[in-house]
Amino acid sequence: MVSTTEQRTATQVGPRKGRSPWADARRRFLRNKAAMGGLILLLFVAAFALFGDVLAQYSNEELDYMVMGQIVELGGPSIASGHYFGTDDLGRDLYARTVQGTQISLAVGVVGALIAVIVGTIYGATAGYVGGRTDSIMMRLVDIFMAVPYMFVLILLLVMYGRSITILFVGVGLISWMEMARIVRGQTLSLKGREFIEAAQATGVAAPVIIARHIVPNLLGVIAVYTTLLVPLMILTESFISFLGLGVQEPMTSLGALISEGAGTIAYGTTWQLGFPLLFFVLTLFGFFFVGDGLRDALDPKDR
Amino acid sequence: MKFSKFLASTALVAGLTLQAHAADVPDDVTLADDQTFTFWLLDAIKSMDPQINTDVEGSDVLRNLFEGLYNEDSDGQLVPGVALDHIVSDDGLTYTFNLRDDARWSNGEPVTANDFVYSWRRLADPATASEYAWYMELMQVENASAVIAGDMAPDELGVRAVDDHTFEVTISTPLPYFPQMLVHASTFPVLESVVAEHGDDWTDAGTLVGNGAYTLTQHTLGERVVMEKNDTYWDSDNTVMTELVALTINDVNQGLTRYLAGELDRVDVPAGQYPRLKAEYPAQASSTPYNCSYIYMLNVGEKGPEALKDARVRQALAYGIDRDIIVERILQGGQRPSYNWTHWAIAGFERPQLEWANMTQPERMERAHELLDEAGYGPDNPLELTLQYNTSEDHKKIAIAVSQMLKPLGVNLTLDNYEWKVHTDRMQSQDFDMARYAWCGDYNEASTYLDLFTSYSGHNSGEFYNVEYDRVMGESKTAENPLPLYQEAEEILGEEMPIIPIYHYANVDMVRDDIRGLPQNNVNQTWYGKDLYRVAD
Amino acid sequence: MLTYILKRIAIAIPTLLVLIVVSYVLMYMAPGGPFTSERELPPQVLANLNAKYGLDQPLWRQIATYVWNIVTDFDFGPSFVYKDRSVNEIIAQGFPITLTYGVLSFLLAVIVGVSLGVAAAVRHNSALDYAAVGVSIGAQVLPNFVMAPILVLVFTLWLGWLPGGGWQGPEYWILPVIALSTSFMASIARITRSSMLEVLTQNHIRTARAKGLPERRIILRHALKPAMLPVISYLGPAFVGMITGSVVVDIYFSTGGIGKAFVDSALNRDYAVMMGVTILMGTLTILFNLIVDILYGWIDPKIRF
């Protein structure tokens, strides 16, 4: 798995007054070469996932009987045959499958991260804002949940209730909300004492409204950074699940599933089956890491 | 060898060629110095207790640690184990086995008929809670059902020690293939005193006492099993291999890589790799028939989909699948396409003339279109079904290919991949449309397959109930020559098509070319470490 | 400090109870049982089996019995699938293996990762720095299930230097440890590097430099300790990641470790083994997080418990 520590520094991000902090951040982000590179990568991968099918000569599920059975000799990448990335063991077009796998991996990553962030934010903001006993009970619960080996629970869920993309979304999302809850709670605690919150309370605005209107918007920076850094973790988690054979149902696929299939057969001379999916996997992860790092640096103007 | 009892007996006596089978090393062969055989296991051995084991791989290990009444030779023929021979009573219901007097447990005690009595009772005893207790019922041993149900005490099971070296079994209906069933690991003897003393721990390395050609010296769960030559074994003078090592490797591709790196002497070949390996290592790669059939079971029962209740639809589905592509382009390991249920290599079985087996694929496809059309389905009214399979790279590939093959017929298959336990559970509760299924024969005779689709079989998850089929199979039990009846049963299956045959298994493996003595022509792939030897280059 | 530790241990107990109940209920509700097999068992046999393993009891009773046996006898029950073994025996066999390669991987990841990170930071913008950053970024995203077969292919099949699996002695440890530690090593190197760079710009370092202290001393004495804070907070997730990674290592290298035992137990519905491993992993995670927190407090005394 990959680092999640960046959040620690992310917690230091706070709302700033005076000249527009967002404009400042944007300027810093645009000047950051790595971040811009990452953004370009992400745009490329997203374009590939969304529009890659236009270029495909085959669908992601039809078998090419011409190459089936002789994949090593005939199934390699070739412009002439229309299999730009070669074919898989059944003669299915790897280009079309990589496009489709990228869609699923991105979807799992983004939806999973969003679930984690939404649950974590609501939970953390509530605990921090209400405070007192409720806060300490809620945070104790988080401590308890943190000690659960979640990968195990996720494996259990998928084994027992069949593989479905919904369980995958929810499962990977639920692995990571606790960290978010802690961060948001900390930020909420520090916001609570501010005048504008006190003013809202004094005028009788209800607690949920204060949380939604005043607290959450002030946490957007943290949330954005955290979400971006969470997506690659979700994608990695999904790839592990696919390796265990518990990923999405055929004929759907994910980058993790394609990589795991390709890695199993590297000794047999079909390296393209590993290479192309792995390339898109790595590009996606790099993209998110660089953009995440860039966002954090941009929103956290401490001089580095 | 004693032949006298055979000669005295009736025609019902199994014609054993009573040649003691150990490593038959020809005189002109020089043996290698290192007599170690390392073989591959896909999974950890679940139990080393013959009455508890349920796995094929477990049986491979158990055959070396224990010895039953009979063994099999390289062609699958019976050869003496602990029993030298047997006589059958005229009514075919009582088998009297003559046990050798030089058989010893690895702690030096003699192997007696009482050990078999104890072990067979133990298999049926509800207190043992063996998942293979039904094997006693399958063997028709008298009172087996009642003992398993707990209605009778285990000592009422139809087995008896006449004296130390005479073991008598009473069965409830004549069973021509009864002796063949005695090769099965669950009938192996265990030593009561050791089981009683150590309880569940008796199978630990160092504690386990067996009567086989090897003793267990190490068992690291999921890593390796090491067995060393047992000097108390009656034929240890003729046992050449001094050590057997079984390595667990969970990934077939890793297994092959490690074989090629020299870590294993025998490994299974992953699907699709046989042609390449055969070309590269002609002396090491081989493919031999293996007693299992691969099918898609159709749910024709109450809970099954309406469409599958129509025999025309079932036939169309069967006709629409191009088996040649599956065996030649996906599996590529010498498997054979199947148009019937019983494995082609089963002894004494011949496939009946089935019309669809002889058609070309375009003809079958055309027929499938017609049949579906008659049944009211087609591209305008597509047939929606699910195809369920358990997790495995090969099952997945075949399912994907089949779903694509049936698409032109207007059949849309949704693939459903489940873990083994869930898959099995869904099948047994009739919660499926089409499901991948495979059956491996318990013995080398067609009834092990055909009994499966009788209405009383208990494994007939698709609920194919056919009176005519039941009658044919019932008659076959007592028939002088059951083959015509077996063929009739196959014809009914071909007409009603409650299952879609896909292919007959082959055992595709790589074996070092200096290893000799592995079975060449045994559909059950039963092998014994004591038969093996390694020649010097 | 001591009260803090005691408090944390007190929380661990309800945590484990929650874990037990949740996992047990999940297993109980799942389709298929430990004795579901291809040949449907006759009802009598199934009843015998269920009675033998106590599965005929109501759910709450099963859980209560289970917890009671653990508390009184430290008995995790018999395996339902590996029938001649108890859960204690399975864990006693597999856990030392997992622990061995786990601890080695962990040490390797931390020692090499930190050294590499510090070296890259000290030689900021040098060839070494770029190389370290490049390699670690790549290694960080390469899944270990890709790494493992490549390692076996290269070191076992092509070079013939190392065994491709098994667990018989130190030469069998090398490939699993490399496969498991690489991505964590890379992460730690990156974290160390950026944190070190940050610390090196701080005032106390500038002061130390102004005083003319030798660079080596500055790095080791003054910069390293504060730079370790983000690394330490990464150790928790790294630990959990290694537990997950052990599954891949066990599958590819057939080590006989506990990770594979867990996956198998879930697939085979071996309730007892699955519960045993989950509890073990849960306990380790709790313990490890506690150690990390204590370390954190030791390095940064400003943090109060």
Side-chain angles (χ1 to χ4, degrees):
Chain A
M1 294 295 114
V2 180
S3 151
T4 51
T5 48
E6 285 85 347
Q7 303 120 28
R8 261 192 46 75
T9 25
T11 57
Q12 290 150 14
V13 179
R16 240 146 264 279
K17 295 195 175 168
R19 48 199 178 103
S20 159
W22 290 102
D24 267 3
R26 187 164 61 237
R27 198 168 40 81
R28 274 192 295 269
F29 186 85
L30 291 176
R31 273 206 317 236
N32 184 334
K33 278 184 204 145
M36 287 311 289
L39 193 61
I40 292 169
L41 277 184
L42 280 190
L43 289 175
F44 169 68
V45 171
F48 178 75
L50 291 175
F51 310 113
D53 271 337
V54 177
L55 293 176
Q57 304 283 320
Y58 301 84
S59 79
N60 67 328
E61 51 175 55
E62 76 190 274
L63 312 175
D64 188 341
Y65 292 110
M66 301 296 287
V67 300
M68 197 175 179
Q70 289 166 287
I71 303 296
V72 179
E73 296 82 12
L74 304 177
S78 140
I79 301 287
S81 70
H83 296 298
Y84 311 132
F85 290 2
T87 71
D88 71 359
D89 274 350
L90 283 170
R92 289 182 295 182
D93 185 39
L94 203 61
Y95 176 81
R97 294 188 66 71
T98 308
V99 170
Q100 207 254 311
T102 310
Q103 291 168 356
I104 295 284
S105 286
L106 282 179
V108 170
V110 172
V111 176
L114 282 179
I115 291 177
V117 166
I118 290 169
V119 173
T121 304
I122 293 175
Y123 194 95
T126 310
Y129 183 79
V130 176
R133 281 276 292 262
T134 319
D135 179 33
S136 63
I137 291 174
M138 283 176 84
M139 289 338 273
R140 280 289 157 271
L141 272 177
V142 167
D143 285 345
I144 289 181
F145 289 136
M146 295 267 282
V148 173
Y150 269 91
M151 190 57 83
F152 284 20
V153 174
L154 181 55
I155 291 174
L156 271 183
L157 278 174
L158 287 163
V159 165
M160 319 241 145
Y161 301 105
R163 57 218 60 218
S164 83
I165 201 155
T166 325
I167 290 191
L168 206 56
F169 281 153
V170 175
V172 295
L174 291 186
I175 289 181
S176 318
W177 66 270
M178 287 89 69
E179 194 73 32
M180 188 71 212
R182 281 189 168 176
I183 295 166
V184 170
R185 170 183 170 266
Q187 295 286 310
T188 312
L189 282 181
S190 70
L191 280 176
K192 219 164 80 171
R194 298 287 182 80
E195 309 86 40
F196 67 98
I197 303 284
E198 278 170 2
Q201 282 168 335
T203 51
V205 182
V209 179
I210 296 183
I211 293 178
R213 286 273 174 77
H214 301 291
I215 299 217
V216 173
N218 276 298
L219 297 177
L220 275 183
V222 189
I223 294 173
V225 171
Y226 190 79
T227 312
T228 327
L229 291 171
L230 206 52
V231 173
L233 296 188
M234 302 289 109
I235 294 179
L236 279 166
T237 304
E238 192 281 333
S239 76
F240 176 74
I241 293 295
S242 289
F243 161 74
L244 290 179
L246 296 171
V248 292
Q249 291 276 10
E250 285 283 348
M252 270 208 285
T253 191
S254 73
L255 289 178
L258 290 172
I259 292 170
S260 149
E261 274 169 31
T265 55
I266 41 165
Y268 307 144
T270 52
T271 36
W272 62 85
Q273 291 178 357
L274 174 62
F276 289 105
L278 189 62
L279 177 69
F280 279 87
F281 186 75
V282 168
L283 290 183
T284 312
L285 294 190
F286 279 178
F288 278 107
F289 279 141
F290 290 153
V291 169
D293 282 356
L295 273 181
R296 188 191 52 208
D297 291 349
L299 291 165
D300 174 15
K302 192 166 38 142
D303 193 26
R304 287 193 169 236
Chain B
M1 296 298 126
K2 286 201 219 165
F3 286 92
S4 52
K5 285 189 179 169
F6 269 91
L7 300 173
S9 172
T10 64
L12 283 167
V13 177
L16 298 186
T17 50
L18 290 181
Q19 191 218 353
H21 197 77
D24 285 325
V25 186
D27 293 336
D28 57 341
V29 157
T30 326
L31 290 174
D33 295 334
D34 169 34
Q35 293 292 339
T36 308
F37 178 64
T38 309
F39 61 103
W40 173 70
L41 296 173
L42 178 63
D43 250 315
I45 296 293
K46 299 214 173 88
S47 174
M48 293 272 184
D49 185 327
Q51 275 84 50
I52 299 295
N53 166 62
T54 57
D55 293 353
V56 176
E57 293 197 313
S59 304
D60 282 348
V61 170
L62 288 177
R63 274 193 297 273
N64 294 304
L65 297 174
F66 299 90
E67 183 169 60
L69 293 167
Y70 289 126
N71 297 328
E72 279 180 12
D73 69 6
S74 154
D75 296 324
Q77 299 299 316
L78 291 186
V79 289
V82 174
L84 291 165
D85 48 38
H86 64 262
I87 48 175
V88 189
S89 63
D90 290 339
D91 59 4
L93 295 180
T94 307
Y95 282 74
T96 310
F97 295 91
N98 169 35
L99 310 189
R100 65 174 72 248
D101 53 15
D102 55 350
R104 292 273 177 284
W105 291 98
S106 54
N107 64 1
E109 289 179 35
V111 179
T112 68
N114 282 308
D115 295 326
F116 281 93
V117 172
Y118 166 71
S119 309
W120 286 34
R121 284 178 185 163
R122 183 170 179 261
L123 181 63
D125 189 345
T128 314
S130 168
E131 288 183 53
Y132 250 61
W134 59 267
Y135 198 75
M136 274 289 136
E137 290 178 89
L138 198 69
M139 291 199 301
Q140 308 279 357
V141 176
E142 198 174 53
N143 298 336
S145 308
V147 171
I148 292 168
D151 297 337
M152 272 189 190
D155 58 11
E156 290 184 74
L157 189 71
V159 291
R160 184 166 82 95
V162 179
D163 60 44
D164 270 358
H165 299 292
T166 313
F167 176 56
E168 187 187 278
V169 183
T170 314
I171 57 178
S172 36
T173 44
L175 209 55
Y177 45 85
F178 181 77
Q180 271 80 5
M181 300 182 78
L182 302 171
V183 178
H184 199 276
S186 56
T187 68
F188 290 174
V190 299
L191 189 53
E192 181 171 11
S193 57
V194 177
V195 178
E197 190 188 340
H198 299 285
D200 280 347
D201 289 335
W202 80 272
T203 53
D204 290 354
T207 314
L208 185 142
V209 173
N211 66 330
Y214 294 85
T215 54
L216 183 65
T217 53
Q218 188 196 340
H219 180 198
T220 311
L221 194 67
E223 204 258 329
R224 74 181 59 209
V225 176
V226 181
M227 294 170 279
E228 266 164 33
K229 191 179 159 186
N230 172 13
D231 291 328
T232 68
Y233 179 62
W234 61 270
D235 201 18
S236 69
D237 289 348
N238 293 316
T239 305
V240 181
M241 275 296 168
T242 53
E243 192 179 62
L244 306 178
V245 183
L247 296 184
T248 301
I249 303 174
N250 300 121
D251 182 279
V252 278
N253 298 310
Q254 278 313 89
L256 181 59
T257 306
R258 289 176 62 185
Y259 171 90
L260 294 174
E263 292 185 24
L264 290 159
D265 294 317
R266 182 184 194 178
V267 77
D268 277 20
V269 172
Q273 292 307 309
Y274 180 66
R276 176 178 76 88
L277 293 168
K278 186 74 190 167
E280 229 173 300
Y281 310 94
Q284 298 180 43
S286 71
S287 168
T288 48
Y290 183 34
N291 190 3
C292 308
S293 286
Y294 191 108
I295 59 168
Y296 285 140
M297 202 179 261
L298 300 177
N299 189 353
V300 300
E302 285 284 292
K303 290 171 74 179
E306 206 46 49
L308 291 183
K309 294 191 169 61
D310 186 335
R312 292 171 300 191
V313 174
R314 304 197 292 259
Q315 282 181 345
L317 292 174
Y319 290 7
I321 297 170
D322 189 340
R323 288 157 188 76
D324 291 334
I325 286 184
I326 291 173
V327 298
E328 283 163 23
R329 308 248 193 110
I330 298 179
L331 300 168
Q332 304 187 52
Q335 292 84 355
R336 289 205 188 172
S338 66
Y339 302 91
N340 72 314
W341 172 223
T342 310
H343 194 287
W344 64 269
I346 285 288
F349 177 77
E350 252 175 77
R351 194 180 74 190
Q353 284 302 320
L354 297 170
E355 195 198 346
W356 72 294
N358 299 324
M359 293 186 206
T360 63
Q361 190 57 33
E363 284 168 5
R364 271 194 285 265
M365 213 53 189
E366 195 180 322
R367 187 83 191 98
H369 272 294
E370 289 166 19
L371 285 164
L372 273 184
D373 208 37
E374 283 170 32
Y377 296 96
D380 307 328
N381 180 21
L383 179 55
E384 304 278 348
L385 293 170
T386 61
L387 169 57
Q388 170 185 321
Y389 60 97
N390 56 299
T391 308
S392 140
E393 201 55 34
D394 297 353
H395 304 337
K396 183 173 86 182
K397 284 181 184 166
I398 294 173
I400 292 167
V402 165
S403 72
Q404 291 298 310
M405 288 168 182
L406 293 181
K407 214 166 225 178
L409 292 176
V411 178
N412 292 332
L413 289 188
T414 307
L415 302 183
D416 255 338
N417 176 195
Y418 291 102
E419 290 326 299
W420 174 244
K421 293 276 178 178
V422 182
H423 176 74
T424 310
D425 190 64
R426 288 177 66 97
M427 282 187 75
Q428 286 169 2
S429 40
Q430 282 73 47
D431 200 0
F432 69 101
D433 295 350
M434 282 170 83
R436 175 261 159 196
Y437 189 78
W439 176 259
C440 290
D442 289 309
Y443 42 87
N444 187 2
E445 213 268 351
S447 63
T448 188
Y449 284 92
L450 294 166
D451 280 344
L452 212 81
F453 295 107
T454 55
S455 59
Y456 46 84
S457 105
H459 306 309
N460 186 352
S461 303
E463 299 195 329
F464 168 69
Y465 299 147
N466 185 297
V467 185
E468 187 61 12
Y469 190 89
D470 286 358
R471 184 190 62 77
V472 172
M473 286 315 292
E475 272 178 29
S476 76
K477 294 293 163 204
T478 49
E480 189 88 346
N481 173 17
L483 179 62
L485 292 162
Y486 291 161
Q487 290 181 329
E488 207 179 320
E490 286 283 7
E491 276 161 11
I492 296 173
L493 289 180
E495 207 51 51
E496 293 292 323
M497 213 66 88
I499 56 166
I500 300 179
I502 306 287
Y503 73 90
H504 294 310
Y505 279 59
N507 185 57
V508 195
D509 60 9
M510 293 280 282
V511 182
R512 295 260 167 254
D513 46 11
D514 56 354
I515 296 287
R516 301 280 187 280
L518 279 169
Q520 299 304 310
N521 199 14
N522 181 339
V523 283
N524 289 326
Q525 299 294 335
T526 317
W527 63 273
Y528 300 84
K530 66 188 174 65
D531 300 341
L532 308 183
Y533 58 95
R534 188 191 281 275
V535 298
D537 325 306
Chain C
M1 188 69 182
L2 189 67
T3 40
Y4 172 76
I5 295 174
L6 287 177
K7 228 162 105 188
R8 288 283 296 262
I9 292 173
I11 296 173
I13 293 168
T15 309
L16 286 175
L17 270 177
V18 169
L19 189 57
I20 291 175
V21 172
V22 169
S23 322
Y24 210 105
V25 171
L26 269 179
M27 289 226 87
Y28 186 85
M29 295 189 322
F35 311 118
T36 303
S37 69
E38 188 167 16
R39 306 167 193 242
E40 205 168 350
L41 294 178
Q44 317 86 298
V45 177
L46 196 60
N48 294 340
L49 281 166
N50 283 333
K52 183 167 172 174
Y53 290 98
L55 295 178
D56 50 349
Q57 305 286 326
L59 177 62
W60 67 268
R61 186 116 186 218
Q62 289 181 32
I63 299 179
T65 315
Y66 183 76
V67 175
W68 181 248
N69 286 339
I70 295 174
V71 173
T72 55
D73 299 329
F74 202 67
D75 176 7
F76 289 81
S79 164
F80 295 5
V81 172
Y82 300 99
K83 292 212 183 108
D84 36 17
R85 304 206 170 206
S86 68
V87 176
N88 294 26
E89 283 170 332
I90 290 177
I91 291 180
Q93 186 214 294
F95 186 52
I97 297 173
T98 309
L99 197 64
T100 307
Y101 69 70
V103 167
L104 286 175
S105 305
F106 202 81
L107 290 178
L108 190 74
V110 171
I111 293 170
V112 177
V114 168
S115 317
L116 205 65
V118 170
V122 171
R123 308 234 184 292
H124 190 34
N125 289 335
S126 70
L128 175 79
D129 185 20
Y130 291 134
V133 171
V135 169
S136 59
I137 287 179
Q140 206 180 348
V141 295
L142 197 63
N144 42 15
F145 60 82
V146 174
M147 186 103 162
I150 294 179
L151 286 174
V152 174
L153 199 65
V154 173
F155 291 99
T156 307
L157 186 60
W158 294 347
L159 298 174
W161 291 352
L162 293 166
W167 196 256
Q168 298 291 306
E171 75 265 33
Y172 290 81
W173 303 353
I174 301 173
L175 293 185
V177 167
I178 296 178
L180 188 55
S181 61
T182 306
S183 73
F184 302 103
M185 202 189 289
S187 300
I188 290 175
R190 282 190 63 206
I191 296 166
T192 309
R193 177 182 169 275
S194 64
S195 145
M196 195 74 187
L197 282 177
E198 191 179 324
V199 171
L200 284 177
T201 60
Q202 281 168 5
N203 288 338
H204 72 281
I205 301 294
R206 287 189 190 142
T207 318
R209 281 199 175 125
K211 279 200 290 187
L213 289 178
E215 188 67 18
R216 206 185 157 73
R217 199 182 145 95
I218 294 174
I219 304 289
L220 295 179
R221 276 289 178 77
H222 300 278
L224 193 55
K225 204 171 147 188
M228 282 300 95
L229 281 177
V231 176
I232 287 169
S233 61
Y234 170 67
L235 294 184
F239 179 80
V240 175
M242 283 207 172
I243 292 180
T244 315
S246 73
V247 174
V248 176
V249 166
D250 286 345
I251 289 177
Y252 271 119
F253 296 106
S254 318
T255 47
I258 213 77
K260 181 68 168 58
F262 174 79
V263 175
D264 279 350
S265 64
L267 298 182
N268 292 331
R269 301 289 183 280
D270 193 347
Y271 299 168
V273 173
M274 186 247 126
M275 293 297 298
V277 179
T278 309
I279 293 171
L280 176 71
M281 292 308 174
T283 313
L284 283 178
T285 313
I286 293 171
L287 205 68
F288 193 83
N289 285 339
L290 182 59
I291 294 173
V292 165
D293 284 350
I294 293 171
L295 258 183
Y296 214 92
W298 172 68
I299 287 197
D300 185 359
K302 278 180 291 182
I303 291 176
R304 287 273 157 262
F305 294 106

